[in-house]
Amino acid sequence: LDRSSAASDVYKRQGLTVSALGLGTVKIGRDKGVKYPNSFTIPDDRAVTELLAQAQDLGINLIDTAPAYGHSEQRLGQLMSQRQDWVIVTKVGEEFDNNSGDSHFDFSPEHVRFSVERSLQRLNTDYLDCVLIHSDGNDLAIIEKGTLDALNDLKKAGLIRATGMSTKTVAGGIASLNHADMAMVTYNLHQQDEAPVIEHAAARQKGILIKKAFASGHLNDTLDDPVQESLDQILGIAGVSSIIAGTINPAHLQENVAKARQACKMAAQ
Ligand code: NAP
């Protein structure tokens, strides 16, 4: 599932090689305050272990989590085997309370350090491959506060290999790329306004992770194959390093990888 493109070379330079598809893990940790079209049950330990093994067998090496995804980090730390074979992306800034189902945000440098140290502990590792700021939408104000600088300091200290921000605005995405290694942006068949961030990354050889590639499951059923169309369109964009697709359904995981392979083949022609 490797993608030979300039975008994946960005990671190689940092000693990271990422698969074209990564696994999003909101649904293994949290079922409150989410906007998926169908209700779901958080999978048990056995199902998560099997999902991780299946993802690896299919060639996925990239996994995306966050403190805001409920129990996701702790469960990955407990259930993930062969940590060294995974590229782990986590975040700082959003805090989710499993009991109340509410989030609050803290972008202070002190909280960044606390959160990264907690992620290391929860994920049962001594380094994080990538840490992104989990934006509340005020992207530029957060960067001006020095939150990215705090993350970059932890990178210099060797706790993190790459830094960036999961943004909600074009200006924020571009600022993240100017101050860090990558940005995570929304891009799907319905929402493409963050395309200039991807172009900026391509021109500067920075990394781009795509979130909500399937519009968080709100797929357009007037299309013959919205999953294939989404993957073809997104993996056809040179600046995209990888799509973080969320699923807890093994059949969907298999389908997504097969279709991502097809999309990569088409993009390479
Ligand atoms: P997504 O990947 O666009 O969509 C996930 C939804 O699509 C799930 O409900 C999944 O259901 C469904 N799905 C997956 N494959 C499918 C298929 N082949 N056919 C039909 N339905 C399918 O949206 P997302 O989960 O919101 O975002 C993906 C990941 O990005 C998250 O898990 C998270 O890691 C990251 N993210 C980050 C942020 C941020 O601010 N940093 C925000 C949102 C998301 P099943 O489980 O039933 O397959």
Side-chain angles (χ1 to χ4, degrees):
L1 199 56
D2 275 352
R3 203 160 165 256
S4 38
S5 72
S8 37
D9 287 344
V10 171
Y11 290 84
K12 282 184 192 147
R13 276 204 300 276
Q14 287 152 349
L16 307 172
T17 303
V18 293
S19 46
L21 208 63
L23 184 64
T25 64
V26 173
K27 290 172 88 174
I28 75 162
R30 165 173 168 180
D31 59 2
K32 291 195 182 105
V34 286
K35 293 177 186 152
Y36 296 109
N38 304 312
S39 64
F40 62 96
T41 304
I42 293 179
D44 64 17
D45 284 358
R46 189 176 158 173
V48 173
T49 305
E50 286 175 2
L51 194 75
L52 294 174
Q54 183 194 6
Q56 272 198 314
D57 287 348
L58 289 168
I60 290 178
N61 75 342
L62 177 63
I63 195 150
D64 180 69
T65 182
Y69 301 166
H71 299 290
S72 173
E73 282 188 322
Q74 291 101 312
R75 299 195 76 198
L76 292 179
Q78 284 160 9
L79 301 174
M80 197 178 232
S81 59
Q82 299 157 315
R83 185 268 173 265
Q84 70 284 357
D85 293 343
W86 288 98
V87 173
I88 302 178
V89 180
T90 191
K91 309 191 187 72
V92 294
E94 181 175 349
E95 292 287 308
F96 174 75
D97 182 332
N98 278 307
N99 297 320
S100 67
D102 294 328
S103 272
H104 72 274
F105 294 87
D106 187 342
F107 299 108
S108 66
E110 298 73 31
H111 182 74
V112 167
R113 177 170 279 280
F114 161 80
S115 181
V116 164
E117 283 171 358
R118 185 184 56 188
S119 293
L120 288 166
Q121 203 171 22
R122 285 179 173 172
L123 286 158
N124 195 19
T125 181
D126 54 7
Y127 68 97
L128 298 166
D129 297 286
C130 176
V131 181
L132 305 174
I133 298 171
H134 214 155
S135 177
D136 62 357
N138 298 303
D139 299 340
L140 287 180
I142 297 165
I143 293 173
E144 280 159 18
K145 244 188 169 144
T147 313
L148 263 183
D149 298 332
L151 269 185
N152 287 333
D153 286 346
L154 295 173
K155 180 181 164 187
K156 277 189 211 126
L159 300 184
I160 303 173
R161 286 177 159 180
T163 62
M165 184 165 185
S166 175
T167 50
K168 299 198 181 187
T169 62
V170 170
I174 288 174
S176 169
L177 295 169
N178 291 343
H179 289 86
D181 305 304
M182 65 189 68
M184 177 184 250
V185 302
T186 299
Y187 194 95
N188 57 48
L189 295 176
H190 313 282
Q191 193 182 337
Q192 308 190 341
D193 49 304
E194 291 172 60
V197 183
I198 307 176
E199 284 161 28
H200 192 82
R204 283 156 190 78
Q205 301 202 319
K206 299 275 177 136
I208 288 287
L209 299 178
I210 300 295
K211 60 188 170 185
K212 305 184 188 177
F214 301 143
S216 298
H218 299 272
L219 287 158
N220 182 346
D221 44 15
T222 63
L223 297 173
D224 273 355
D225 188 344
V227 168
Q228 187 72 66
E229 291 206 28
S230 304
L231 295 170
D232 286 352
Q233 199 173 117
I234 301 169
L235 292 173
I237 304 171
V240 170
S241 313
S242 184
I243 295 175
I244 303 292
T247 186
I248 49 171
N249 177 328
H252 285 166
L253 183 59
Q254 186 155 16
E255 174 189 348
N256 297 345
V257 171
K259 290 180 175 172
R261 281 188 199 283
Q262 176 64 28
C264 288
K265 210 186 281 175
M266 215 176 70
Q269 279 167 7

